[in-house]
Amino acid sequence: MLIDVQQLRRVYTMGETEVVALDRIDLQIDVGEFVSIMGPSGSGKSTFMHLLGCLDRPTTGRFILDGVGVETLDDLQLSKLRNQKVGFVFQNFNLIPQLTVVENIELPMLYAGVKRDERRERAMQLLAAVNLAQRGEHRPNELSGGERQRVAIARSLVNKPPLVLADEPTGNLDTKTGVEIMHVFRKLHEMGTTVILVTHDEEVARWSHRVIRMRDGLVEKDTQSEARPPEDAAWQNLG
């Protein structure tokens, strides 16, 4: 088991008002699962992702990530765990425009204390893996949206985390490019990485093997099935 959530609750205080974003959630995710988290605005899915990514702590309850009780950690320990265990992919890519592609990919390894030569070697290997080996010295604004998202995926993998979290990873992409990016996530899953996507798109969710639907801070439905990627022309071309 990679993720074990027990009675997880997150409450925000706004003046004298308490807003319950998550309300006593119990949930387990095993190593190697491919999960989509869905729900309307305000359902708690983004808050849940922030907790799973160690960007926040629960108000009450337990969150165990790869055997570590997250709620007991101080800020430094939380940052270290996040750097070691979690890779992030965001809708807006979150690449640093002043850095080259390869420097963006190296950044998490810099924080982890990886030596320079190893950083460069690993970054170039990952660039090759996402078919961007010739773009390492370009800047993000010289790439297409799909290429930037591939860079973000490569960056998420540099510290070899067991978990990749993706927040609306196809939201700013056209349909064909979105299919290409989902193909990359599918390959990651096949290699054994646990992938969790937050999405509002039913077509994106069809790529996963498990869909968790949230509403009002609760898990409304949790279903497992065979992945059913859309059988459109873009997918056929990648097949």
Side-chain angles (χ1 to χ4, degrees):
M1 187 180 299
L2 181 65
I3 291 169
D4 186 10
V5 166
Q6 303 170 14
Q7 292 291 291
L8 198 71
R9 198 165 190 260
R10 185 65 174 98
V11 179
Y12 296 100
T13 302
M14 303 175 65
E16 297 182 356
T17 304
E18 286 192 344
V19 177
V20 180
L22 295 175
D23 195 8
R24 297 184 178 86
I25 290 179
D26 291 307
L27 191 69
Q28 290 76 41
I29 296 175
D30 289 333
V31 172
E33 287 199 69
F34 191 167
V35 181
S36 291
I37 298 176
M38 305 191 73
S41 178
S43 63
K45 62 183 187 298
S46 294
T47 299
F48 193 38
M49 183 181 180
H50 287 160
L51 289 172
L52 294 182
C54 302
L55 296 168
D56 194 9
R57 292 186 184 82
T59 305
T60 58
R62 294 213 68 195
F63 169 32
I64 301 169
L65 174 61
D66 204 17
V68 178
V70 173
E71 75 281 354
T72 66
L73 304 181
D74 61 29
D75 288 345
L76 184 60
Q77 292 170 322
L78 195 66
S79 178
K80 185 176 181 180
L81 182 70
R82 182 170 60 243
N83 189 258
Q84 292 175 340
K85 302 291 185 181
V86 187
F88 294 94
V89 181
F90 298 98
Q91 179 176 352
N92 294 321
F93 319 125
N94 285 13
L95 302 176
I96 298 175
Q98 296 84 1
L99 300 181
T100 65
V101 163
V102 73
E103 288 169 343
N104 268 281
I105 295 173
E106 288 179 326
L107 202 57
M109 292 185 286
L110 182 64
Y111 297 145
V114 177
K115 292 181 180 179
R116 181 178 179 179
D117 289 347
E118 184 180 349
R119 292 201 308 266
R120 182 55 54 101
E121 180 181 1
R122 203 186 297 177
M124 292 307 297
Q125 287 174 347
L126 283 165
L127 268 180
V130 295
N131 298 320
L132 290 174
Q134 305 305 316
R135 308 287 268 171
E137 297 306 316
H138 288 70
R139 308 238 178 228
N141 64 1
E142 299 176 295
L143 305 182
S144 69
E147 288 172 332
R148 278 179 277 175
Q149 196 61 292
R150 286 175 182 267
V151 173
I153 292 171
R155 181 186 57 188
S156 77
L157 298 173
V158 291
N159 285 332
K160 303 175 183 178
L163 172 64
V164 169
L165 291 175
D167 188 5
E168 300 284 2
T170 64
N172 283 340
L173 305 175
D174 62 74
T175 300
K176 182 179 184 298
T177 305
V179 169
E180 292 172 355
I181 293 302
M182 290 309 301
H183 184 68
V184 176
F185 282 118
R186 178 183 170 184
K187 290 296 184 184
L188 289 180
H189 168 251
E190 290 174 351
M191 292 167 60
T193 303
T194 304
V195 178
I196 301 177
L197 306 178
V198 171
T199 183
H200 70 280
D201 191 333
E202 295 286 348
E203 294 297 293
V204 169
R206 287 174 60 183
W207 290 76
S208 62
H209 296 80
R210 180 179 178 187
V211 178
I212 296 168
R213 298 182 186 273
M214 300 187 67
R215 185 177 295 275
D216 299 329
L218 299 167
V219 173
E220 183 179 51
K221 194 173 183 181
D222 185 350
T223 57
Q224 298 191 42
S225 63
E226 290 296 320
R228 295 177 293 108
E231 296 296 336
D232 58 15
W235 163 247
Q236 293 294 341
N237 290 338
L238 284 169

